Amino acid sequence: MNHQHKEVTSTQPYEFKTRSRMIAGIMIIIGLVAVVAQFATHYNQTWPNLLMNNYYFMLMALGATFFLAIQYVAEVGWSAVIKRVLEAMSQYLFVAGAIMVLIVFFGGHHLYHWMNPEITDPKSPEYDAIIAGKSGFLNVPFFWIRLVAYFIIWCGFAFIFRKNSLKMDAELGSAVDSYNANKRFAAAFLVLFAITSSTMSWDFVMSIETHWFSTLFGWYTFAGMFITCLSILAFTVGFLKSKGYLPEVTENHIQDIGKFMFAFSIFWTYLWFAQFMLIWYANIPEEITYFMLRQDHYRTMWIAAFLINFICPFIILMTRDAKRKIKLLMSMSVLLFIGHWMDTYIMVIPGSMALHSHEGHPLIGTVGWMEIGTTIGFLGLFMYMVQHHLSKAPLVIKNHPMMEESLHHVL
C-alpha cells in the first residue's frame, strides 16, 4: 500500500456526536425564542434582523460554492484535501433559500418600500417619481422570478459539485471523468455567479434604500462574502484538526487559506474606502443620505467594523509565520466573523428601520440580546448543516486526481 493511499483513507467521515447536535439544537432554540420575543416587543426590527442574518449566512455558503468552483476551473491541486469542507458549507444554500422565500413572502412589504403599489401610481399621494423610474427592474413579479432563479442556480450547482465529488469516492475508474465534469460545470457556474452575485446584492440589500445606488456595491458585497467564507473555512479546518481529523492538512495548506484571508481583507478595505470616498467627493443628494444615516446614528459600529475588518488582519496576518498558525488563524476568523456581521448589520438595518420614520425622525436599530440571540440561532443552524454533511462522506475525496499534489504541497 503506497503512502498516498494510507494518507487518504486514514481520514474518516466526521462523527456528528450527540453533544454537538445538542449544542447546535440549543443555539437554534435560542434563536427561535429571540425571534418570537422580538416580534412581541419591537416588531419593526424583526424582519430586517431576519433578513440580515439569513443574508449573512447565505453569503458564507455562496462564497464556499464560488471558491469550490474556482478550484476546479483553475485545476488547483493544493486544495484537494479541504474540498469536502467547502462542499459541506455550500449545502446550506438550500436552507438559506427556503428561509429567504419565507422572509420575502411574509415580510417583504416591511423591508422593501418599493413593493407598495401606491409608490408607482401617479394618482397616489405616496407616488415617488424616482422609485417609479426604477419599476421596470424593481417590481414584485420580476423580483420573485430573480429570487427563485438565484437559488435554483446556486443550489443546483452546489448539488452537482457534491454529487460528482461523491462519485470520486465510489468509483475509482471514473474519478477523472467526475472531476472533469465538475470542471465544466464550474466554468458555467462562474459565468452565472458573476451576474447573480451582483444582482442579488441589489435585490436583497441595496433596494432597501431605493433612492440610493452604488456602482461598487456588487464588488463590495463579493469581497465581504469571500472573506467570511474563508474565515469559516479556516475555523472549520482548525476545529476538525483539533478533533484529530484531516491529518493531510499541513501548515502549507493553512498558509494558503491565510493568504487569501489577508489579501481579500485588503481588497475589501479598498472597496470600502472607494465607495465612501467617491460618494463623499461627488456629494450627490441621492447618494450621501446613505452615509449620513450611518454616520449620524450608527457611527460607532460603522467605524468599528472598518477597524476590525482592516486593521486586525493587516497587522496580524502580514507575516508568513502568522498565516501558518492555525490557532491564530482561528482567532482571526472569529474577529472577522464579528466584524463582517457588523458590516452586514450596517448595510441592512439602518435603511430598513428608516422606512418606519416618525415625523422625519428615523427609527434606530438596536443590538440587544434578541438581535444577538437571532444570530446565535442562525449560527446553530449553519453549524448543524455543515456538520451533518461532513458526517455523510469521508473528509478527504479518496480518488481525487490532484490528491498526490495536495498531499505533497509545500510553500
Side-chain angles (χ1 to χ4, degrees), residues 242-264:
S242 72
K243 299 296 182 182
Y245 298 100
L246 293 181
E248 298 84 0
V249 175
T250 66
E251 288 183 339
N252 299 296
H253 301 98
I254 299 301
Q255 184 184 346
D256 273 332
I257 298 173
K259 286 192 295 186
F260 276 112
M261 290 174 64
F262 175 79
F264 276 86

Side-chain angles (χ1 to χ4, degrees), residues 124-184:
S124 171
E126 297 186 39
Y127 176 73
D128 189 311
I130 294 176
I131 297 178
K134 301 180 180 183
S135 61
F137 184 81
L138 290 178
N139 60 79
V140 174
F142 193 26
F143 180 85
W144 273 108
I145 290 171
R146 294 195 301 274
L147 186 153
V148 172
Y150 294 151
F151 286 101
I152 288 177
I153 292 169
W154 300 338
C155 295
F157 280 101
F159 174 81
I160 290 169
F161 293 151
R162 176 73 168 179
K163 181 180 178 182
N164 285 329
S165 173
L166 295 175
K167 285 183 178 179
M168 295 185 209
D169 289 336
E171 303 170 19
L172 177 62
S174 63
V176 174
D177 292 336
S178 297
Y179 176 86
N180 288 331
N182 265 356
K183 187 168 65 173
R184 291 190 296 271

Side-chain angles (χ1 to χ4, degrees), residues 149-368:
Y150 294 151
F151 286 101
I152 288 177
I153 292 169
W154 300 338
C155 295
F157 280 101
F159 174 81
I160 290 169
F161 293 151
R162 176 73 168 179
K163 181 180 178 182
N164 285 329
S165 173
L166 295 175
K167 285 183 178 179
M168 295 185 209
D169 289 336
E171 303 170 19
L172 177 62
S174 63
V176 174
D177 292 336
S178 297
Y179 176 86
N180 288 331
N182 265 356
K183 187 168 65 173
R184 291 190 296 271
F185 280 114
F189 169 78
L190 291 175
V191 173
L192 295 171
F193 174 86
I195 300 169
T196 58
S197 63
S198 286
T199 56
M200 71 86 182
S201 69
W202 306 343
D203 285 332
F204 296 151
V205 178
M206 193 163 69
S207 74
I208 292 172
E209 295 166 88
T210 321
H211 284 198
W212 181 71
F213 56 89
S214 169
T215 55
L216 285 175
F217 196 75
W219 285 105
Y220 181 76
T221 301
F222 165 77
M225 171 188 70
F226 197 40
I227 295 167
T228 50
C229 160
L230 293 167
S231 299
I232 297 299
L233 173 64
F235 190 90
T236 305
V237 169
F239 170 78
L240 291 171
K241 287 191 69 66
S242 72
K243 299 296 182 182
Y245 298 100
L246 293 181
E248 298 84 0
V249 175
T250 66
E251 288 183 339
N252 299 296
H253 301 98
I254 299 301
Q255 184 184 346
D256 273 332
I257 298 173
K259 286 192 295 186
F260 276 112
M261 290 174 64
F262 175 79
F264 276 86
S265 291
I266 305 304
F267 180 56
W268 176 88
T269 304
Y270 161 72
L271 292 171
W272 187 98
F273 176 75
Q275 183 172 255
F276 172 73
M277 185 272 293
L278 292 173
I279 289 175
W280 171 81
Y281 186 77
N283 202 29
I284 299 173
E286 289 82 5
E287 294 183 350
I288 61 172
T289 53
Y290 180 86
F291 286 106
M292 286 174 63
L293 177 62
R294 284 148 181 83
Q295 285 186 345
D296 292 345
H297 302 288
Y298 300 85
R299 182 186 295 268
T300 300
M301 182 177 288
W302 183 58
I303 295 175
F306 172 77
L307 294 176
I308 292 172
N309 296 330
F310 168 52
I311 300 297
C312 291
F314 182 77
I315 294 175
I316 297 173
L317 294 182
M318 184 176 289
T319 65
R320 176 180 183 272
D321 288 343
K323 300 183 187 76
R324 298 173 70 86
K325 297 176 180 178
I326 187 59
K327 290 184 178 179
L328 181 61
L329 215 58
M330 290 175 72
S331 300
M332 181 54 58
S333 296
V334 173
L335 278 176
L336 289 175
F337 175 88
I338 295 171
H340 283 281
W341 181 91
M342 295 167 67
D343 183 55
T344 307
Y345 182 98
I346 288 296
M347 286 194 287
V348 175
I349 300 299
S352 55
M353 294 298 288
L355 294 177
H356 308 287
S357 299
H358 179 65
E359 297 180 353
H361 299 288
L363 194 62
I364 307 303
T366 59
V367 179

Side-chain angles (χ1 to χ4, degrees), residues 11-43:
T11 300
Q12 301 301 315
Y14 170 73
E15 185 181 357
F16 195 6
K17 296 181 179 179
T18 303
R19 182 174 179 271
S20 298
R21 293 177 188 272
M22 287 182 61
I23 291 173
I26 291 171
M27 293 173 70
I28 294 170
I29 292 171
I30 291 173
L32 291 173
V33 171
V35 170
V36 172
Q38 197 169 48
F39 269 121
T41 55
H42 48 301
Y43 178 86

